[in-house]
Amino acid sequence: MPDETRSLPSPTKELPVLHSEEGMAHVHDRMSLLVGKVARASAQLEFTLRQLMVSLVDSKYAETVAAGLGANELVDMCTALVKINREVTEAQREECRARLGLIKPLLARRNQLVHGFWAPMHVAEGEPLPEGALALVSKRRTAMAVVEISFEQAEQLADELSRTQSETFSWICRSLLAQLRREQVTEPPEGTGMAR
């Protein structure tokens, strides 16, 4: 009877030696910086969307109305409001609607990066360190998907979010500056006993 133990592959001989955790540390640091950069840029965009909604509503209570809405809800509300707003020209309306139409795809990409489990593949020692990672992404009522996101794509996304925020704020200043400057009422009247 032949010795079967000799025909079994040795697990340690089959697996390549991977970069050490120390070797991967700068990859993890770069990923953390990129996630932070994307998160900050999207938070700035969300703040600007809230300012856009406040300007489009043009009420001293608009800030309270816009409070707590998520970025996608703000895009939907602003799209509906700019459609009926009487203070903007048709050209301004179309420019704003076109700009708003670009935001949801950016937010979807942002969600994959910020809310997905983004982790680099460990690579064999001697191989170049990874320039991207896989993100495990889960959306409501769908199976988890694997999406590859390069560091360059993450950097581009942060830049696109920042540029969109800047262009949106510029549109507000050109089109609805007086409405943006309207004093907002965010506190109940004194003496009403109403807590915040």
Side-chain angles (χ1 to χ4, degrees):
M1 182 173 216
D3 183 6
E4 292 183 19
T5 58
R6 288 186 186 180
S7 61
L8 294 176
S10 167
T12 55
K13 288 184 182 176
E14 296 290 321
L15 296 175
V17 176
L18 300 177
H19 278 278
S20 67
E21 283 301 315
E22 294 81 25
M24 293 293 290
H26 87 276
V27 173
H28 290 282
D29 290 346
R30 185 171 181 199
M31 289 174 64
S32 295
L33 288 171
L34 287 169
V35 169
K37 189 173 180 179
V38 168
R40 287 185 62 199
S42 65
Q44 291 169 334
L45 176 58
E46 186 172 330
F47 178 78
T48 300
L49 287 170
R50 192 162 280 108
Q51 290 178 307
L52 175 59
M53 183 175 164
V54 167
S55 300
L56 288 166
V57 170
D58 191 24
S59 162
K60 62 184 176 183
Y61 307 110
E63 193 173 308
T64 301
V65 172
L69 295 179
N72 283 316
E73 293 170 306
L74 288 165
V75 170
D76 291 340
M77 289 298 297
C78 290
T79 300
L81 288 166
V82 77
K83 192 187 304 186
I84 62 168
N85 191 285
R86 301 293 192 253
E87 280 85 33
V88 296
T89 67
E90 195 57 37
Q92 290 170 325
R93 183 183 332 281
E94 289 311 310
E95 181 186 352
C96 186
R97 290 181 71 193
R99 188 169 314 292
L100 287 167
L102 301 174
I103 294 175
K104 280 192 176 183
L106 289 175
L107 295 174
R109 288 172 44 209
R110 173 250 186 228
N111 288 345
Q112 289 177 339
L113 183 71
V114 173
H115 295 298
F117 173 63
W118 195 41
M121 302 277 289
H122 273 77
V123 292
E125 203 170 75
E127 294 290 319
L129 288 171
E131 286 296 315
L134 299 177
L136 298 177
V137 179
S138 178
K139 293 189 339 185
R140 187 180 289 173
R141 294 180 288 282
T142 61
M144 192 171 302
V146 177
V147 178
E148 187 169 346
I149 303 171
S150 72
F151 297 157
E152 183 180 344
Q153 289 170 320
E155 190 77 47
Q156 288 171 350
L157 176 58
D159 292 344
E160 288 178 59
L161 287 162
S162 291
R163 185 175 50 256
T164 301
Q165 180 276 327
S166 177
E167 291 170 354
T168 303
F169 185 71
S170 177
W171 184 92
I172 297 168
C173 291
R174 284 183 282 111
S175 306
L176 297 169
L177 187 58
Q179 292 83 346
L180 178 63
R181 290 180 171 168
R182 179 189 272 278
E183 182 181 349
Q184 292 293 301
V185 175
T186 58
E187 297 289 331
E190 288 186 34
T192 62
M194 310 231 14
R196 228 181 146 175

